[in-house]
Amino acid sequence: MEGPAAARRPDAAQPRPDRETEARALLAELGTAMIATGQPVQEIEEELAEVSAGLGYPDVQTAVGPTGLMVTLTPGGPSTYRGAPAGLRLHQSASVRLIRHQLVHGELSPAAARDELAATARRPVQQPAWLVALAWPVLAVGIALILQPGWANVAAAGLCALVVLALVQLAERYEVVKALLPTLAAFSVSLVVFGAANAGLLEGPLRTVLPPLAVLLPGALVVNGMSELAAGHMQAGSARLAYGLAQLGLFALGLLMATALLRVPTSTLANVRVDEIGWAGAVVGLVLIGASICLMEGVPLRMQGWVLLVLSLAFAAQVAGQQIGSIGLGGFLGAIAASLGASVVELRRPLLPRLVLFLPAFWLLVPGSLGLVGVTELAAGRESATDVALGLMGVAIAISLGLLVGSSVGRALRGRLATPVAPLDPSA
């Protein structure tokens, strides 16, 4: 019979096995949800360790990858593996961030947190379907106003975005379309744009192809892969980088198939910028990009102004860097501004997730678009393989370093600017 002395034994103070199982399951579900939001693995491991320490398990060990993770609460103890679900929209990412915040501050029990995570995965966008569909051409028009501000180019970008939207909807129903989506989308858009260029309806078709495809381009994959490699996560970083470059190759394949079918001359594949609208086009484009992303991703109304603020900071820093230096310097400064700006906003408003504020800036940094231009010019014989590879790697490294610098400075500011707030409903 156990007496009072038994309660004082060291092993009696350890958590019960059922509690450990619940904690492991929670960390696995939270971690895979964070993977689905697009966070780099080094940030996921740091934030899971913070949650685990709050649950009473400071010695947690996690192995996070792009497609799943393994977690154990004690060295040599039992572990749990869980695969990551499909990617989450930004409104779902905001809910995941809120759940993590509440767990860290002891405002949510593990059981309730698991229920909230399950509900988040099923939470649809609040806006009507027709409004979300309308955001696709609006986003393409906004990017075109910045990337290729010609009247005919902007109109073509909006039209081609409807073609891409139709293909994306088909991909949700048919696996073969899903597997070939990058090639099919690039082929369809290129047929329209280069056909119009052959007919003399527009100039600079190569840059006009990019805005309708920007939603699908793997810029975030490539940059996240580079940042993970820089942080020492070799397996996750190399896997993500290889996948992103493979996707980029599929886009280039579709584009080159269309140009070969139309017999487009090599000179038409030049990276030419048309500017008929002027500086006002960039301002309007910036607003359209922010509004359309918020619609497509279901970003809550209370976050939309902050999203536009971070977008503006990233754009201003990128333009300044390009003016005083090069594309690489612009990407570096833009990434710092986006990452640090989002971190500072989160520190002051903890329930405005850094990830939700920061990810839309990738639409402006456009590393995937620059990569597609480089691969296309390589295939057209306009550039050497060495020049293209160095250019792509230079831009990706510059943006990755900018992310690391911005996030490092943001972490250094934590504790000085952090402001405790009461929980809010993420769907508000």
Side-chain angles (χ1 to χ4, degrees):
M1 182 175 181
E2 304 253 74
R8 294 192 294 270
R9 293 202 305 263
D11 59 343
Q14 297 299 317
R16 297 188 304 274
D18 57 335
R19 184 188 167 199
E20 292 184 359
T21 302
E22 180 82 10
R24 278 202 319 274
L26 168 62
L27 292 174
E29 292 174 15
L30 178 61
T32 51
M34 293 165 71
I35 293 173
T37 66
Q39 278 189 266
V41 298
Q42 66 270 18
E43 293 184 6
I44 295 174
E45 290 185 351
E46 290 177 6
E47 295 182 0
L48 285 180
E50 188 178 7
V51 173
S52 181
L55 295 176
Y57 302 98
D59 298 324
V60 66
Q61 295 181 351
T62 55
V64 183
T67 59
L69 62 80
M70 185 173 292
V71 57
T72 180
L73 300 178
T74 56
S79 62
T80 295
Y81 174 81
R82 183 179 175 87
L88 298 178
R89 293 179 181 267
L90 290 183
H91 76 287
Q92 295 168 313
S93 300
S95 297
V96 172
R97 193 68 176 180
L98 173 61
I99 293 168
R100 194 201 74 87
H101 174 85
Q102 292 175 324
L103 283 169
V104 169
H105 292 82
E107 300 167 356
L108 201 62
S109 68
R114 295 183 64 188
D115 292 340
E116 288 291 329
L117 286 170
T120 294
R122 300 188 298 267
R123 185 172 296 142
V125 174
Q126 305 255 332
Q127 288 79 8
W130 66 267
L131 194 57
V132 175
L134 179 63
W136 284 70
V138 172
L139 175 62
V141 167
I143 296 176
L145 286 170
I146 293 175
L147 194 62
Q148 191 69 307
W151 294 111
N153 307 82
V154 170
L159 176 63
C160 290
L162 296 175
V163 176
V164 174
L165 174 61
L167 289 172
V168 169
Q169 292 176 339
L170 283 175
E172 294 175 355
R173 300 174 57 186
Y174 302 104
E175 284 297 323
V176 63
V177 179
K178 183 178 181 180
L180 298 175
L181 181 59
T183 303
L184 289 175
F187 178 77
S188 302
V189 171
S190 299
L191 276 181
V192 176
V193 173
F194 283 99
N198 282 350
L201 299 178
L202 56 82
E203 298 179 0
L206 184 57
R207 278 178 169 257
T208 309
V209 168
L210 303 177
L213 299 176
V215 175
L216 305 178
L217 287 171
L221 272 174
V222 173
V223 172
N224 271 349
M226 291 298 299
S227 67
E228 287 166 350
L229 286 173
H233 291 266
M234 293 174 286
Q235 290 182 336
S238 57
R240 205 186 298 265
L241 184 60
Y243 179 71
L245 293 177
Q247 291 290 300
L248 198 60
L250 292 175
F251 280 106
L253 175 63
L255 191 152
L256 294 170
M257 287 170 56
T259 56
L261 181 63
L262 295 173
R263 300 183 183 276
V264 175
T266 302
S267 58
T268 307
L269 295 175
N271 185 6
V272 176
R273 187 175 191 270
V274 178
D275 191 358
E276 299 174 350
I277 301 176
W279 64 268
V283 177
V284 175
L286 193 65
V287 175
L288 292 180
I289 290 173
S292 57
I293 290 177
C294 290
L295 281 177
M296 291 171 63
E297 299 291 323
V299 176
L301 182 62
R302 64 188 176 85
M303 298 184 186
Q304 293 180 12
W306 296 104
V307 168
L308 185 59
L309 172 62
V310 175
L311 276 171
S312 302
L313 291 174
F315 177 68
Q318 183 183 28
V319 170
Q322 291 176 352
Q323 292 294 324
I324 64 176
S326 62
I327 291 176
L329 180 60
F332 176 71
L333 295 180
I336 290 179
S339 181
L340 181 58
S343 297
V344 171
V345 171
E346 185 188 47
L347 288 172
R348 298 297 298 171
R349 299 287 189 273
L351 299 184
L352 297 177
R354 170 185 173 274
L355 186 71
V356 174
L357 300 174
F358 165 73
L359 280 182
F362 271 102
W363 304 96
L364 284 180
L365 299 176
V366 201
S369 299
L370 295 174
L372 182 58
V373 169
V375 173
T376 303
E377 291 191 334
L378 169 62
R382 300 182 58 84
E383 299 285 348
S384 70
T386 302
D387 290 341
V388 170
L390 290 176
L392 295 181
M393 293 300 292
V395 173
I397 290 173
I399 295 175
S400 302
L401 289 176
L403 298 183
L404 290 176
V405 171
S407 60
S408 298
V409 174
R411 282 196 298 269
L413 294 175
R414 185 178 299 172
R416 294 186 178 183
L417 300 179
T419 302
V421 296
L424 296 176
D425 183 359
S427 62

